[in-house]
Amino acid sequence: MISNPLRDPRDRRLPRVPEPCALVVFGITGDLARKKLLPAVYDLANRGLLPTNFALLGFARRDWGDQDFAELARDAARKAARTPWREEVWERLAASVRFVQGSFDDDNAFDQLADTLGELEGSHGIGGNAAFYLSIPPAMFPTVLKQMQRTGMADSTPDRWRRVVVEKPFGTDLASSRELNALVDSVFSADDVFRIDHYLGKETVQNLMALRFANTLFEPIWNGHHVDSVQITMAEDVGIGGRAGFYEETGAARDVLQNHLLQLLALTAMEEPVEFSADEIRTEKLKVLRAVSVPEDMATFAVRGQYEQGWLAGQRANGYRQEEGVAEDSTTETYAAVRLGVETRRWAGVPFYLRTGKRLPRRVTEIALVFKRAPHLPFADTDTEELGNNQLVVRVQPDEGVTLKFGSKVPGSVMEVRDVSMDFLYGEQFTEASPEAYERLLLDVLLGDATLFPRNAEVEASWAVIDPLEEFWAGTTPQAYRAGEWGPRAADEMLAAEGRRWRRP
């Protein structure tokens, strides 16, 4: 990162800008690159957060020239950019766009890519620094990584850095994740590997740490003495789209539970780090993940489902088995819910309910702390019959913000207490819009800031939680739920067995 000797390090008014560098994207023609990465690069440039000496290289099989690729990149960026479109910004960026055509097993193509990077050192002054984004299926990782090793593109030196960004899923179980991690670490050093979980780039997730550790209000009650249970929900109203091939092999638990939801659990349950640094935050998250316990009675407390035909927002929605590319007798789950424990002094005895699903009534991700009920000793039963548990809800998406639910007297001549909500919305409180997750994460990769990226040990600890669930579910048929419902009935029964119910987002 470029440092200004005249600038006080405590001064946050000027943004951090990376050193001169290149971003190389493998699989540049895929959905992720077109919908997320290219718009994020434009938005960073538009906000002045990219270095003056910056280059973007795309690598794919398409028989394109630099101009063809620049046109695709321009269309993708303009369609999905978060910031206003400015032609002059794009023209500056387009002057640094290059494309290399070839397949992943083509030695000549990788030689050409290495030569192009070398040429950019002279023509664009990138200083030899480069980040490689593997926006490709995990099955292709070994081929690409070995090519990068062969050509020397993966080698960092005292004069230049080389980093690699790996997209989830990080393997399909503990054994395969260890194999994948060993492969990546054999080519790049551990500090140069960035395993991207885009949920950790969301502003609200990061605000969870600010909410807890920058305020004295919440920390005294953030424990099992006051919290009855924690519910973490990631609901999607869409189906699988064109991802049948990926989803049939993965399922909801491996796709979302293993990474997104367990990372949110770790951030919710972690202790305060000794400093706000990547290593210290990861240390505390890892303690939580290693303390997670799976339910002994999995038949009751581990539920998976699959959506059937139903209605969503007034439109008929196909069932999962009617989706294109899905087997008629598929047993892949589109919904997963589980009760986990965190065996630490702070959280002993507090159940953590995690759920995720496709074709649910609405798109929402939230973390809800449900507090224990007050004794209500001064009140008659009729005074508080409409009063539920106090709740603190962190909404990750959409409508990012925090809601506090508590009891208040209803105006009138009798004593009646009912739930009310106090809301904080980012969009109303701050004039600056929250950056898109990939925008923040790409910038962190170029800066070398690994705070929001899980390391090997976290990935393996997460698989140690998921593998027993997958083993229990193997050979079973997921329970059906209609599209537009909040999951199978067994998920409601799971909480009802302990006298609780799901919060309605």
Side-chain angles (χ1 to χ4, degrees):
M1 188 175 72
I2 299 171
S3 59
N4 182 348
L6 301 179
R7 177 181 173 183
D8 189 321
R10 295 169 297 178
D11 187 348
R12 299 296 182 87
R13 291 173 296 177
L14 292 176
R16 299 179 301 168
V17 177
E19 297 174 303
C21 60
L23 175 65
V24 182
V25 181
F26 294 101
I28 192 71
T29 56
D31 275 359
L32 175 66
R34 287 186 290 108
K35 294 179 180 177
K36 296 293 184 182
L37 301 183
L38 291 169
V41 169
Y42 167 79
D43 287 332
L44 287 172
N46 204 12
R47 294 171 60 207
L49 296 177
L50 289 182
T52 306
N53 298 344
F54 174 79
L56 174 65
L57 278 80
F59 186 97
R61 292 183 181 179
R62 302 283 179 90
D63 187 11
W64 284 345
D66 292 342
Q67 190 59 40
D68 298 320
F69 171 53
E71 283 301 312
L72 167 114
R74 182 183 186 279
D75 291 344
R78 184 157 194 172
K79 180 182 282 188
R82 189 184 62 85
T83 56
W85 184 260
R86 292 195 293 163
E87 199 64 43
E88 65 274 17
V89 171
W90 177 255
E91 286 176 4
R92 283 200 303 272
L93 201 54
S96 305
V97 166
R98 297 288 184 272
F99 181 79
V100 176
Q101 187 265 336
S103 59
F104 298 141
D105 56 0
D106 184 349
D107 288 357
N108 291 332
F110 274 83
D111 291 339
Q112 185 185 345
L113 181 62
D115 291 343
T116 304
L117 266 179
E119 291 167 9
L120 288 168
E121 289 188 43
S123 63
H124 286 68
I126 62 170
N129 301 320
F132 301 91
Y133 201 114
L134 303 187
S135 178
I136 56 176
M140 296 289 101
F141 285 1
T143 305
V144 172
L145 288 167
K146 285 169 184 171
Q147 289 279 24
M148 294 172 68
Q149 189 175 39
R150 179 186 67 80
T151 55
M153 282 192 290
D155 301 338
S156 291
T157 69
D159 300 325
R160 75 177 197 195
W161 51 257
R162 294 290 167 93
R163 299 172 186 143
V164 65
V165 184
V166 183
E167 271 280 348
K168 74 172 185 72
F170 313 117
T172 56
D173 54 20
L174 180 57
S176 63
S177 76
R178 282 178 171 160
E179 190 177 324
L180 177 62
N181 286 333
L183 173 67
V184 175
D185 288 347
S186 71
V187 180
F188 287 86
S189 69
D191 289 339
D192 293 331
V193 179
F194 290 74
R195 292 165 183 82
I196 201 162
D197 182 342
H198 71 271
Y199 258 67
L200 300 187
K202 293 186 181 294
E203 199 76 17
T204 337
V205 173
Q206 298 160 55
N207 190 52
L208 183 59
M209 287 187 276
L211 186 77
R212 289 188 56 189
F213 305 131
N215 300 292
T216 58
L217 181 61
F218 302 111
E219 191 61 14
I221 58 172
W222 204 278
N223 54 57
H225 294 300
H226 302 280
V227 175
D228 172 75
S229 60
V230 179
Q231 296 184 17
I232 304 179
T233 297
M234 179 185 160
E236 297 180 273
D237 54 3
V238 297
I240 58 167
R243 303 170 69 215
F246 165 78
Y247 213 82
E248 275 286 82
E249 293 184 6
T250 308
R254 289 189 178 104
D255 184 36
V256 176
L257 207 61
Q258 182 271 334
N259 40 74
H260 299 333
L261 293 190
L262 282 178
Q263 284 288 324
L264 294 181
L265 180 150
L267 288 167
T268 304
M270 66 187 260
E271 296 297 324
E272 183 175 0
V274 294
E275 64 179 11
F276 198 76
S277 68
D279 286 341
E280 297 302 334
I281 290 172
R282 276 198 295 255
T283 296
E284 298 304 333
K285 283 163 57 186
L286 185 57
K287 288 179 185 176
V288 172
L289 292 171
R290 287 177 172 165
V292 171
S293 62
V294 296
E296 292 183 11
D297 181 8
M298 289 197 191
T300 302
F301 295 111
V303 175
R304 68 186 195 127
Q306 186 185 86
Y307 64 82
E308 292 184 331
Q309 181 177 290
W311 291 85
L312 198 62
Q315 301 288 323
R316 182 180 292 277
N318 286 334
Y320 177 71
R321 293 179 181 178
Q322 285 78 55
E323 301 279 14
E324 186 176 348
V326 174
E328 293 182 4
D329 58 350
S330 173
T331 58
T332 301
E333 81 276 0
T334 62
Y335 177 97
V338 63
R339 177 201 195 273
L340 300 175
V342 177
E343 307 306 325
T344 62
R345 182 178 287 267
R346 179 185 291 267
W347 295 110
V350 177
F352 282 71
Y353 298 106
L354 277 58
R355 63 174 169 171
T356 181
K358 299 275 190 185
R359 291 289 187 206
L360 300 183
R362 59 184 293 241
R363 171 178 170 263
V364 62
T365 301
E366 66 174 33
I367 303 162
L369 272 72
V370 181
F371 293 93
K372 294 180 178 179
R373 293 179 69 94
H376 300 159
L377 295 178
F379 303 102
D381 290 343
T382 53
D383 296 346
T384 58
E385 62 184 357
E386 292 191 36
L387 182 64
N389 296 59
N390 297 157
Q391 297 176 8
L392 179 66
V393 183
V394 178
R395 287 190 308 283
V396 177
Q397 71 170 16
D399 304 325
E400 294 89 346
V402 180
T403 293
L404 184 62
K405 180 179 168 187
F406 56 93
S408 178
K409 180 185 178 298
V410 178
S413 57
V414 297
M415 173 58 74
E416 181 185 358
V417 184
R418 189 182 299 170
D419 285 329
V420 296
S421 292
M422 188 161 58
D423 287 329
F424 152 64
L425 293 172
Y426 275 88
E428 293 181 0
Q429 191 68 29
F430 298 107
T431 55
E432 184 176 352
S434 298
E436 211 277 330
Y438 275 96
E439 195 180 326
R440 168 67 191 269
L441 294 172
L442 270 182
L443 181 61
D444 281 354
V445 169
L446 300 181
L447 289 165
D449 184 345
T451 305
L452 301 177
F453 298 84
R455 278 276 173 90
N456 277 4
E458 289 179 63
V459 173
E460 292 178 7
S462 297
W463 279 119
V465 175
I466 299 300
D467 279 0
L469 299 174
E470 291 288 354
E471 188 178 334
F472 171 73
W473 285 328
T476 64
T477 301
Q479 302 189 43
Y481 66 97
R482 287 184 178 276
E485 294 180 343
W486 281 104
R489 183 177 300 173
D492 294 326
E493 293 170 351
M494 178 173 82
L495 269 71
E498 299 184 313
R500 299 184 178 95
R501 62 182 179 182
W502 290 107
R503 167 187 151 78
R504 182 62 59 89

